[in-house]
Amino acid sequence: MTKTNSKDAVSEAKERVLLGLNPRQVEAATHVEGPLLILAGAGSGKTTVLTRRVAYIIASGWEPWSILAITFTNKAANELKTRIAALLGEQGEGVWAMTFHSFCARVLRAEFPGIGRSGRFSIADDSDQLKVMKACLKELNLSEKQYPPRGILHAISNAKDELMGPDEYAARASTFYETKVAQAYSLYKRKLLEMDALDFDDLLMETVLLFRGNPRILQKYQERFQHILVDEYQDTNRAQYELTKLLAASHRRIAVVGDDDQSIYTFRGADIRNILDFERDYPECKVVKLEQNYRSTQVILDGAFNVVKHNLERKDKRLWTSKKGGLPITVYAGQSAEDEARFVVSEIERLVGEGLPLSSCAILYRTHAQSRSFEEAFINAGVPYTVLAGFRFYERKHIRDAVSYLRLLAYPKDRLSLERVANEPPRGLGPAAIEKIVRYAQEQDVGLVDAMCSAESIKGLTRPQKKGALELGTALMEMRRAASSLPLGQLLHDTLEKTGYLEALRNEGTSESQSRLEDLSELMGSLRQYDEMENPLYSFLENCSLASDQDSYDEKKESCVMGTLHSAKGLEFEAVFLVGLEEGLLPHSRALLDERQLEEERRLMYVGMTRAKLRLYLTFAFARNGYLGPTRTRVSRFISEIPRELLEVRTWED
DNA sequence: GTTCCAATAGTTTTT
DNA sequence: CTATTGGAAC
């Protein structure tokens, strides 16, 4: 430690860091030695505590870079970074605040080369996974009807969450179906390896395996990170749990923050045992409960509590606030989805008229599909809105095409990107031709771009195919050479120009293609931020794989926010509209049969309600258009769990 | 083998 | 309502 501060200066710094915290929060921020479990209710100042804790650790003389703060979303990580910077200035620089997945990717890229594996793997997203799995099923002669690819992927994902490899899975398979899954798992893994790709679950699992199998590497990270902080601990799965356990094993300075009532990711393997086992794994751990809420009115908290208390599997606790009373919770019964949307939008306009900023209003729903009627109502009313992770920017076809072109420059074996891009624009390179190129590349042990450059010597390609492949290959080769000397935006532009992608889009001449071109220039412009980084191309691609759209959500923008209940976690608004509160939507129809899933739906409701600071609206429609005709609906059971005296009921007839 | 068009089936939540 | 699949024409 290089600090030469006197004792007084240190304690003064510590005091300043704790300014304005309540006694429980102080406990959580200052318990620096030894494990700590913080049970932080909604709106209890969790991020504040995390930030102050980091500051306190630094004020105690630790170096910033000895702190690792792990979150679930990039948004949460960025928020943490911003708040640390605001509190500490450059003193806080060097703290690692990132998601589980980016941490793992970073470790693997750094350590894989040392153990003879590629550190330049690409990261496979959902649609990549689906494609690979379909190819696997085809190869195994399994029909997609009997073996739905998504279902198989889900099973594999579960296995990986539990750190189970294909062999172990096969050994445990008891049903016929499971033996088939095991075969698919094994082949799927081989295929990913072949194209040097890892999926999201692999990132976690491979990191745990790396640490387990290489004690010296693990030791390096243990020594580097003397303090581990984990946010949203209730949402960790077994692999994530194991990872943090390994990292903290030598020094046991690990602090986790969680709230069992806000556990809404069990479908992704989140395991509530991780909170319970924490006290077992670290018997000396200190437990701090944060129950004072700084966000909502008492009425909103009472409403939310009365819903969530119906769950049997929960730790007993109850939030309280010094803000007594509050406006009643408004329940609106609409006659149709359109009527519901009309009400919500006109109510928002009324609130804005009273001086509430538009950006502090939010509409939350259970499924993405529900956004439609609200978007229409907003457009009709001329009110600006932002959809959280709706149709993700990065999931739009042309954006993915563009990214795939860049991926081909960076990842020589990225077969999926080639498949995306080879015939976009049409070059006569269909699946069969691609197969030949890939095989050639494998046989010659060269990258796909190099293979295309020697298209002349690939057997079985027709003349025009050779020409197409050669053109594409040389264009990409040229861009790859130029990659390090061009700004990233320019690189993308030139790549799309040379490969004829932009030209094809321009020639289309529809309004659709026009807006696509605009999207692409937006993308090119946004790439500027990467130019200062060490390796712009790789940094961008990494971000692209690991980032979602809500990460870039800008709360200052003057527009109403809407999104799924899941995407709303960690956010807060003056006015919240929980919409579509009907049996089958919330709780979702897929959850009705299973008590545990039903409890998760209830927690979703709880998370939604506790986003509201001042006003809470619960709305539903008596009839809703399904994909075939209008259907009558039933009001969500969760509404009836709220005491009548907290509610003010309105209908379309009022 | 590729391209294009029509029918068809499928819609939870996310890093 | 819309992404995807399967079939028929080039």
Side-chain angles (χ1 to χ4, degrees), chain A residues 37 72 161 232-242 244 256 269-282:
Chain A
L37 170 60
F72 270 81
D161 286 347
E232 307 283 13
Y233 196 63
Q234 75 282 351
D235 290 332
T236 49
N237 60 33
R238 278 326 249 194
Q240 291 163 328
Y241 167 83
E242 188 63 23
T244 56
V256 302
D271 193 334
I272 202 72
R273 280 181 303 165
N274 294 348
I275 285 200
L276 306 174
D277 285 358
F278 190 83
E279 291 179 73
R280 207 193 57 198
D281 280 338
Y282 306 95

Side-chain angles (χ1 to χ4, degrees), chain A residues 219-272:
Chain A
Q219 195 188 352
K220 187 169 95 189
Y221 286 90
Q222 286 174 335
E223 280 167 12
R224 158 97 198 240
F225 297 113
Q226 292 288 318
H227 292 272
I228 315 288
L229 280 70
V230 189
D231 194 11
E232 307 283 13
Y233 196 63
Q234 75 282 351
D235 290 332
T236 49
N237 60 33
R238 278 326 249 194
Q240 291 163 328
Y241 167 83
E242 188 63 23
L243 182 67
T244 56
K245 196 172 153 186
L246 283 168
L247 282 171
S250 61
H251 50 65
R252 298 169 86 84
R253 279 186 290 267
I254 176 170
V256 302
V257 193
D259 177 5
D260 52 327
D261 284 335
Q262 292 187 72
S263 164
I264 53 176
Y265 285 102
T266 55
F267 71 91
R268 207 177 74 189
D271 193 334
I272 202 72

